[in-house]
Amino acid sequence: MGREATTMKRSSKPIKSYSKTIRAYSLKLDEETYAKLDQLFVSYGKCRNMFLNQYCGINHMLNVKQYFSLRNHLVKTKQGNIYVEKYHFLQKHWKYALRDACANINSMWSNLANQLRKVVQANDSIDKDERHLIYYLLSIRELWYYALTNDQAVLLDLSQKLQKHLTELEEAVTPKQRKHAYSYLRRLTRRYKYTPRKHYSLNKAMTYDENMYHFQGDELEQVTISSGVSRKKFTFDLTSPWHYRLKGDLQLILDRDKKRIEIHKVIKVRQKQDYQADTKLGIDKGLATLVSCSSGREYGKDFSQFTRPKIEQESQYLARRNPYYGYRYQLKKKLNRLKNANTPKQIIKKKQLASQLNKLNANNIGYKRKDKRHASYHACLESKINHAIKALIVTEHPSLIVKEDLTFTKDKANKTGNKYERQVRRSLSSWTKGVLNERLEYYCQQYGIDFKDVNPAYTSQYCPNCGQHFSVRFGKHNEKTLCPNCGEMDCNIAASKNILARATDKEITLYTPYKKVKAILDQRIAS
């Protein structure tokens, strides 16, 4: 009886997991196989971008939610046969291109809804009830579509509960406010929504389901995938055996530099079971020091000493490269004007410009070498970021990490140095904070740590102890500050303490405008 009770107790505890992407690599492909794969990936990319541009508009907001209905409609109307002839691949390829495009468009609408919520929240001229109505319209795709198109048929397909709730919210505002809310939502949507692409880039990724591939060999060291021709397949030798499930979707990446195939698969992994969490932690993210904690400790110190040589190197590269790119742009512009040259003088001028352009292109001013150097350097920086985050978790044992939401924060570059150096510093700072935030959330999922985003406005400008405004900033990286009451302190540590306090601050929410945040903080000093 006791053993059965213990078993029941263990089985009742939910097993938490998180998503992780695993990778496998093929050996270098021969020239013939690589050429066929390159053609297949380019055709797939053209088809996917065609679907992306075709269905990204407001009129197809609801169609992309029902991928199977959209696919069946194209099959029924025999539109798929046109895609097969146009892009020279099989029926299943355009179907998966359509699925990828629908997934991207759905993500685009979800991200747009989050962006519009922040814009609406920052608008002080909107009434509380009117703001609530806009939030409700954004929360349901059908209602959002109704607000944009005024299509009454969409409301009839909704449940009675949703219709009743919408009616209650509309009755809570005046007719003028209701008209303004719908008009304001339409204007915001058209201003920020995705616009179709006029050009496409060479596609590197394709989605394959379990019917389009299989692993083989004694230790599963080979993979066979479908090609663009019926009853013909590609077989690749892998650099290591495949140890994971043989079912589910795969993402195939064509590495055109190394001429090989990368296999990506998303799997579920259990969280760390032996992790003991006991503290709540506020953190401030930066570039000179990666993470400053409310406990007083800092991780990733002197991170900028690794980035400084990169900034100087890239600024020199940009200074040398940009004149050549400007000259090439002018040559192409002049050639385009002489596209329909018919007089002898124009033909001679066109040949001269073409000769100059060929000589310039022969100097190899492309991006391949620069991109490889970027990838290598960013991999090194990402390794240092991972090391700093792991050290933070092992030392602090946080149960909750409170961090700033820097999604729409503009990075200000120091005006010292040349313009190319400022551009590189701004770009590298944005990249570092984005990767740092992404890796933080990944490790929080791995260890079962909760995380929360708070408003970043003025966190490093007010004292966490007495609330006074800091008077001056000094130090090598402006990391030191002076409080009129508490004296000298580290402003990054002070910011992390303010960030932790923001987690329970009912007046300053995530979407509170920065001007209102400053007014609230100044009022607290006066009181």
Side-chain angles (χ1 to χ4, degrees):
M1 183 68 180
R3 185 176 299 176
E4 292 178 357
T6 304
T7 305
M8 291 293 292
K9 186 176 180 180
R10 288 178 181 175
S11 62
S12 62
K13 186 177 180 180
I15 299 175
K16 296 183 179 180
S17 61
Y18 64 98
S19 298
K20 180 180 180 180
T21 302
I22 56 173
R23 302 179 182 182
Y25 304 92
S26 71
L27 299 178
K28 187 175 180 180
L29 306 175
D30 58 83
E31 294 296 332
E32 182 180 359
T33 304
Y34 172 76
K36 293 180 180 179
L37 274 174
D38 183 69
Q39 182 180 0
L40 177 61
F41 273 74
V42 170
S43 299
Y44 184 90
K46 289 180 180 180
C47 185
R48 188 179 68 173
N49 287 337
M50 181 270 297
F51 284 130
L52 194 64
N53 294 337
Q54 182 177 353
Y55 295 111
C56 69
I58 293 175
N59 293 332
H60 298 285
M61 283 181 65
L62 304 182
N63 295 337
V64 294
K65 286 187 65 178
Q66 304 294 333
Y67 156 70
F68 291 105
S69 300
L70 185 59
R71 183 201 64 183
N72 294 338
H73 173 71
L74 294 177
V75 172
K76 186 177 180 181
T77 57
K78 297 184 179 181
Q79 188 70 22
N81 298 332
I82 300 177
Y83 301 143
V84 172
E85 295 178 0
K86 181 178 180 180
Y87 298 109
H88 306 290
F89 51 36
L90 304 179
Q91 288 276 352
K92 51 189 172 185
H93 288 108
W94 74 259
K95 294 177 182 178
Y96 282 101
L98 176 63
R99 192 179 74 166
D100 280 356
C102 289
N104 290 336
I105 295 172
N106 286 325
S107 298
M108 179 268 295
W109 284 115
S110 299
N111 295 334
L112 180 60
N114 293 332
Q115 183 180 1
L116 296 189
R117 288 189 187 96
K118 293 189 176 183
V119 174
V120 173
Q121 181 67 33
N123 193 342
D124 295 331
S125 63
I126 298 180
D127 184 71
K128 182 179 179 180
D129 293 332
E130 188 178 348
R131 183 180 289 113
H132 192 187
L133 174 60
I134 296 176
Y135 286 167
Y136 186 66
L137 295 173
L138 287 172
S139 63
I140 302 173
R141 184 81 63 85
E142 288 77 8
L143 292 179
W144 192 2
Y145 178 78
Y146 162 71
L148 296 175
T149 62
N150 198 23
D151 188 356
Q152 300 291 335
V154 178
L155 292 180
L156 300 178
D157 295 335
L158 295 176
S159 63
Q160 295 292 333
K161 183 178 180 181
L162 296 178
Q163 295 183 29
K164 182 179 178 181
H165 194 189
L166 177 63
T167 304
E168 293 174 354
L169 292 176
E170 290 180 343
E171 292 176 351
V173 297
T174 63
K176 185 177 180 180
Q177 287 178 325
R178 177 184 177 278
K179 182 179 179 180
H180 176 264
Y182 280 85
S183 176
Y184 184 55
L185 181 57
R186 284 193 293 268
R187 284 186 279 115
L188 286 181
T189 302
R190 286 175 168 81
R191 179 187 302 174
Y192 293 104
K193 78 177 185 66
Y194 174 87
T195 55
R197 303 172 184 171
K198 295 182 180 180
H199 305 284
Y200 70 93
S201 58
L202 295 180
N203 197 267
K204 296 183 179 180
M206 289 182 63
T207 300
Y208 274 62
D209 74 343
E210 57 192 44
N211 297 318
M212 299 173 66
Y213 71 89
H214 69 274
F215 293 91
Q216 58 191 16
D218 296 336
E219 297 184 357
L220 301 180
E221 294 181 342
Q222 284 185 337
V223 60
T224 299
I225 65 173
S226 299
S227 67
V229 182
S230 179
R231 298 184 180 181
K232 288 189 178 181
K233 299 181 181 295
F234 294 118
T235 301
F236 312 111
D237 293 326
L238 302 179
T239 57
S240 60
W242 182 263
H243 300 292
Y244 306 98
R245 288 187 63 199
L246 304 180
K247 294 184 178 181
D249 289 349
L250 295 181
Q251 194 79 2
L252 298 186
I253 313 295
L254 179 62
D255 189 340
R256 290 184 168 87
D257 293 332
K258 298 181 179 180
K259 293 186 177 181
R260 68 179 184 182
I261 288 289
E262 295 182 13
I263 301 173
H264 295 189
K265 183 178 177 62
V266 179
I267 62 174
K268 290 290 185 180
V269 184
R270 289 187 178 184
Q271 291 180 346
K272 302 286 185 180
Q273 300 295 321
D274 56 347
Y275 176 73
Q276 300 295 329
D278 52 9
T279 59
K280 295 181 179 180
L281 193 68
I283 63 170
D284 179 57
K285 297 173 284 188
L287 185 61
T289 300
L290 279 176
V291 180
S292 302
C293 300
S294 56
S295 62
R297 302 185 185 92
E298 293 183 319
Y299 301 90
K301 288 186 177 181
D302 298 327
F303 182 76
S304 58
Q305 72 178 359
F306 299 104
T307 63
R308 182 64 189 179
K310 178 66 175 178
I311 292 172
E312 295 176 354
Q313 182 183 10
E314 286 300 303
S315 63
Q316 294 173 3
Y317 172 80
L318 289 173
R320 294 193 306 267
R321 183 207 66 173
N322 283 358
Y324 290 99
Y325 270 85
Y327 181 47
R328 187 172 71 172
Y329 172 76
Q330 294 296 331
L331 289 177
K332 288 184 176 180
K333 192 175 180 180
K334 292 178 181 178
L335 274 173
N336 191 36
R337 293 174 183 172
L338 297 174
K339 186 177 181 180
N340 299 322
N342 49 14
T343 63
K345 186 177 180 179
Q346 290 178 341
I347 294 174
I348 293 174
K349 183 65 175 177
K350 183 177 179 180
K351 289 182 179 180
Q352 291 176 350
L353 293 174
S355 176
Q356 294 176 12
L357 184 60
N358 291 334
K359 289 180 181 180
L360 189 62
N361 290 331
N363 291 329
N364 189 19
I365 59 173
Y367 287 92
K368 183 177 291 188
R369 185 180 300 175
K370 179 178 74 71
D371 290 344
K372 290 176 68 175
R373 188 170 66 246
H374 270 199
S376 176
Y377 187 76
H378 282 174
C380 179
L381 294 184
E382 190 170 345
S383 175
K384 297 182 182 300
I385 291 173
N386 291 336
H387 179 77
I389 296 174
K390 287 183 179 179
L392 180 150
I393 293 175
V394 171
T395 306
E396 303 291 343
H397 297 286
S399 59
L400 171 67
I401 292 180
V402 184
K403 55 188 179 68
E404 296 173 301
D405 179 20
L406 301 176
T407 309
F408 295 99
T409 302
K410 294 183 179 179
D411 294 308
K412 298 181 180 178
N414 192 351
K415 293 185 178 181
T416 59
N418 58 44
K419 64 177 182 179
Y420 300 124
E421 186 174 334
R422 295 197 299 271
Q423 291 173 3
V424 175
R425 190 186 299 112
R426 186 185 299 112
S427 176
L428 188 59
S429 176
S430 301
W431 178 88
T432 301
K433 291 180 180 179
V435 173
L436 179 60
N437 188 69
E438 178 186 345
R439 301 309 295 170
L440 266 171
E441 294 184 359
Y442 172 78
Y443 282 112
C444 285
Q445 293 176 354
Q446 184 178 8
Y447 286 88
I449 303 171
D450 295 328
F451 59 89
K452 183 177 181 179
D453 290 332
V454 297
N455 196 317
Y458 300 100
T459 53
S460 61
Q461 298 186 28
Y462 287 83
C463 180
N465 302 323
C466 63
Q468 289 291 329
H469 192 280
F470 292 142
S471 56
V472 293
R473 294 280 290 269
F474 56 94
K476 185 178 180 181
H477 301 289
N478 283 336
E479 75 280 7
K480 298 295 183 180
T481 188
L482 191 64
C483 175
N485 297 333
C486 305
E488 182 180 332
M489 64 178 64
D490 192 305
C491 63
N492 295 328
I493 301 295
S496 63
K497 294 179 180 179
N498 287 328
I499 291 169
L500 180 61
R502 290 273 173 94
T504 55
D505 196 328
K506 295 183 179 180
E507 287 186 291
I508 304 176
T509 64
L510 178 61
Y511 303 110
T512 304
Y514 71 96
K515 292 182 180 179
K516 190 174 181 180
V517 172
K518 189 176 189 307
I520 293 172
L521 295 176
D522 292 339
Q523 185 180 4
R524 291 176 181 177
I525 296 175
S527 60

